[in-house]
Amino acid sequence: MNHSTISSFIWGTADLLRSSYKQHEYGDIILPFTVMRRLDIVLAPTKQVVINESQKEIPAALKQMKSFDEGSLRDKNLKKAAGQDFYNTSAFTMEDLVKDADNIKENMTAYIDGFSPEIVDIMENFEIYNVINDLDKKGLLFQVTERFCKPDVDLSPESVSSADMGDIYEELIRKFSEVSNETAGEHFSPAMVWPLRRVSQ
C-alpha cells in the first residue's frame, strides 16, 4: 500500500468524530492514536519477553551496591528485551483493549502508563489522558481504538519503514491543516511532528 492509501485510511477515522468534534480537533485524536498503533505493532514480537523481564527481581547483591540505580538498570534491561529504544510493560496490546469494551478507558490508561518514560512523555505532549477521557465521555473510545486495530492497513516495520511512517504522519498533518484552514504544521508543536524521531524503531 502506498503512503496516500494508508494516510487516507487513518484520516477516515474523522468520519467517527464529525458529530462530536470540530474539524480542527481531529488531529488531536488521530495523531496520537497513529503513534500508539505504530508503537504497538513494533513491540508486538517481544511483548511477552518484556513482560517477563519486568517481573524479574533485582538481585539483592546489586541493590546493596553504592552506585546502584534500579530504575536505570530496569530501563536498560527492558529496552534490551524489547529490542528497541522503548518498551511497554502493561499486560495489554491495543487489540486486547477492544476485547473488553466495558473497561477500555481504564485499560487504555494502564496501557499508556506501561510505556517507557520517553514514550509516556511523547503521549503526554498529545495530552493523551485528556483525549482518552473525552473520547470515553462521548462514547467514541472503543470505536476509534477498534478502527486503528483493523487489518485494512499494516503499519508494521516490515511493511512501512520508519522514514515512510514519518512521511505518512506528515501527510496527515497536512490534511488536518487543510480542513482547519491553517498553514501545514501551524497547529502542531515541534514535539508532535513525527515524535518517534526521538526513538529508533
Side-chain angles (χ1 to χ4, degrees):
M1 300 182 73
N2 60 39
H3 296 175
S4 294
T5 302
I6 295 173
S7 64
S8 292
F9 176 83
I10 295 172
W11 167 253
T13 307
D15 293 336
L16 299 174
L17 307 175
R18 294 189 197 286
S19 62
S20 301
Y21 291 91
K22 296 177 181 178
Q23 288 185 331
H24 72 270
E25 296 176 310
Y26 295 167
D28 297 337
I29 297 160
I30 294 175
L31 292 178
F33 270 80
T34 300
V35 172
M36 199 188 319
R37 182 54 174 160
R38 169 66 170 193
L39 293 174
D40 188 65
I41 293 175
V42 168
L43 293 174
T46 57
K47 180 70 175 179
Q48 192 57 51
V49 177
V50 169
I51 291 174
N52 293 345
E53 180 63 36
S54 72
Q55 295 171 346
K56 288 183 180 178
E57 286 289 331
I58 300 292
L62 278 179
K63 291 183 178 181
Q64 293 172 3
M65 294 176 64
K66 191 172 183 179
S67 60
F68 176 68
D69 183 339
E70 182 172 349
S72 178
L73 179 62
R74 284 193 179 278
D75 187 68
K76 179 181 177 180
N77 289 344
L78 288 167
K79 287 176 179 176
K80 182 177 179 181
Q84 305 290 339
D85 289 337
F86 54 92
Y87 52 83
N88 187 303
T89 59
S90 80
F92 304 105
T93 64
M94 285 185 71
E95 291 178 357
D96 292 330
L97 297 176
V98 298
K99 294 176 183 176
D100 186 4
D102 292 339
N103 297 298
I104 191 167
K105 176 188 171 184
E106 293 76 12
N107 292 345
M108 181 169 284
T109 299
Y111 173 74
I112 297 294
D113 289 343
F115 276 113
S116 49
E118 56 269 78
I119 300 300
V120 173
D121 182 54
I122 286 171
M123 300 310 290
E124 285 182 341
N125 279 327
F126 287 109
E127 299 185 357
I128 189 63
Y129 297 108
N130 290 337
V131 169
I132 290 170
N133 288 336
D134 199 49
L135 283 170
D136 185 62
K137 286 178 183 177
K138 293 175 178 175
L140 293 171
L141 183 57
F142 174 81
Q143 294 178 58
V144 171
T145 307
E146 182 184 44
R147 179 173 177 81
F148 273 88
C149 291
K150 288 184 180 296
D152 302 57
V153 172
D154 180 7
L155 296 183
S156 70
E158 292 75 22
S159 299
V160 186
S161 71
S162 182
D164 289 341
M165 196 68 217
D167 290 342
I168 291 166
Y169 185 90
E170 291 181 7
E171 185 173 337
L172 287 170
I173 286 180
R174 286 194 293 273
K175 286 178 180 287
F176 295 132
S177 297
E178 288 169 6
V179 299
S180 302
N181 294 316
E182 297 174 335
T183 302
E186 181 181 324
H187 180 63
F188 304 96
S189 70
M192 295 166 69
V193 180
W194 196 230
L196 297 189
R197 288 182 302 183
R198 294 165 53 187
V199 290
S200 64
Q201 294 119 70

